[in-house]
Amino acid sequence: MAGESAQRVDRKALRFAIGYPVLLGGGFALAAFTFRGRVPEPVAWLWNADGGTAFTPFAGYLAAGAGLIAILGALLCSQAAFTRRPAIARRVFMAGGIGMSMFLATVLAAGLLGQVGLDDARDSHPDPVVLAMGSGATLAFAVVMFFTFKPDEQWSPRDEAALLDALEPERVRLTFTYWAHARSSVFVMLGIIGVSVSLLLLVVSPWISLVLTVGALLAACSLVARVSVSPEGVGVFLAGMVPVLRFRTASVLRASFETVAARRFGGWGYRRKGQAVSVLVASGEAVEAVLDDGRQVVFSGRDGDTARRVVDVLRAGSGA
């Protein structure tokens, strides 16, 4: 699903399509705020042909103006991020959205500057110089955006990886990621402690309950590991995110796999004692390696087949 979403939406274009109008709206509000005290209160926001004028508080003028610039501009520009649209349509949407947001900022700025120094907003009118100069700049920038925005897909790191996979099929075979975790009964026990027991301890002390819950959560995270294996090296991440062990395959002097008991290495989770480093989420199949810097590393292999694959990669990378 994530791959299909990435194909349907150009994320770089979407970030710009949303970010530019939002920043422009924020810039307008910040710049307009400097005129507070120099314009009448309330300010005019609509001038009718028959001379009638509509008013709004200064803060409402800023908030509504900035919101209109950001929302309307983002809605139009974001249409250019959908890759299934024709290229010409994507260019039109991006240029039109940028032009619309800038034109709105121009009109709002002209209306505000036309009221500077007046005591009554009924005597005001939009500043024609600001309106003319801003409109010209808006048109020019929209045309430039139309010709410079390239909706065609660009070469990305994902394309680079796909090319390497096609050119080096052996490297693909030796590159993989797996997850290792403790038995489900262990997580059930931690859940009982972290939820049920913690709720009972709320009667005694909320702080003790909170500490117990956090402790159970941290313990559960330490019993889940993600191992990334490639011909260049191995990385072990607790809870799938926290890096606790990294080494290059070229630094491996000896590698093997066997069934180990976690208590032999100090218990579950991440353990370090001198040059010995272990990351075991459970007793069972594990990979053991001796590195050229003197470290002796042990980490969970999930099962026998996975541990054997890891050892094959380490031996191939080190030439052992």
Side-chain angles (χ1 to χ4, degrees):
M1 293 297 293
E4 294 179 2
S5 177
Q7 292 176 0
R8 290 197 301 266
V9 179
D10 185 342
R11 293 183 179 180
K12 293 182 179 179
L14 184 62
R15 284 195 293 267
F16 179 83
I18 297 176
Y20 179 83
V22 170
L23 290 176
L24 183 61
F28 165 77
L30 184 62
F33 186 78
T34 61
F35 290 93
R36 184 179 181 85
R38 300 170 58 188
V39 294
E41 180 68 30
V43 295
W45 67 276
L46 181 64
W47 295 263
N48 298 326
D50 58 359
T53 306
F55 303 92
T56 185
F58 181 79
Y61 190 93
L62 263 61
L68 190 63
I69 293 170
I71 295 174
L72 190 56
L75 285 176
L76 286 174
C77 289
S78 61
Q79 302 305 309
F82 295 100
T83 57
R84 293 185 178 180
R85 297 187 186 279
I88 187 65
R90 295 179 63 189
R91 288 190 173 191
V92 169
F93 274 118
M94 182 62 78
I98 295 297
M100 177 59 71
S101 59
M102 289 188 64
F103 182 72
L104 288 173
T106 296
V107 172
L108 291 165
L112 189 64
L113 289 176
Q115 303 176 60
V116 172
L118 299 179
D119 295 326
D120 192 338
R122 285 175 294 188
D123 300 329
S124 67
H125 60 274
D127 191 315
V129 176
V130 173
L131 188 60
M133 293 182 64
S135 299
T138 296
L139 179 60
F141 192 73
V143 172
V144 170
M145 180 57 65
F146 177 85
F147 286 105
T148 57
F149 174 61
K150 296 181 179 180
D152 303 319
E153 294 186 6
Q154 303 296 312
W155 189 263
S156 65
R158 183 175 299 176
D159 299 319
E160 187 72 25
L163 177 61
L164 290 176
D165 292 347
L167 296 178
E168 303 179 21
E170 182 65 16
R171 185 179 185 278
V172 177
R173 187 183 68 82
L174 299 177
T175 302
F176 58 94
T177 298
Y178 68 89
W179 290 79
H181 56 79
R183 294 179 179 179
S184 58
S185 58
V186 176
F187 293 104
V188 172
M189 181 185 66
L190 290 173
I192 294 173
I193 295 175
V195 178
S196 302
V197 178
S198 296
L199 290 175
L200 293 175
L201 287 175
L202 281 173
V203 180
V204 179
S205 171
W207 292 109
I208 296 177
S209 176
L210 178 61
V211 170
L212 186 61
T213 301
V214 173
L217 181 60
L218 292 176
C221 290
S222 68
L223 298 180
V224 178
R226 176 173 62 89
V227 182
S228 177
V229 183
S230 71
E232 289 75 31
V234 173
V236 183
F237 305 83
L238 278 184
M241 298 181 294
V242 183
V244 293
L245 176 62
R246 290 180 185 272
F247 61 89
R248 296 178 298 106
T249 56
S251 66
V252 176
L253 299 179
R254 186 172 66 255
S256 62
F257 68 93
E258 60 179 277
T259 302
V260 302
R263 63 176 179 274
R264 172 186 157 197
F265 298 92
W268 296 339
Y270 173 70
R271 296 287 186 273
R272 181 166 186 170
K273 185 177 180 181
Q275 292 289 79
V277 180
S278 65
V279 187
L280 298 172
V281 297
S283 298
E285 295 294 336
V287 178
E288 296 189 56
V290 178
L291 309 182
D292 57 8
D293 59 3
R295 285 186 297 167
Q296 299 178 354
V297 300
V298 182
F299 55 94
S300 293
R302 188 174 67 180
D303 53 47
D305 292 338
T306 304
R308 186 178 295 106
R309 287 185 65 191
V310 176
V311 171
D312 291 341
V313 173
L314 295 181
R315 289 175 176 174
S318 63

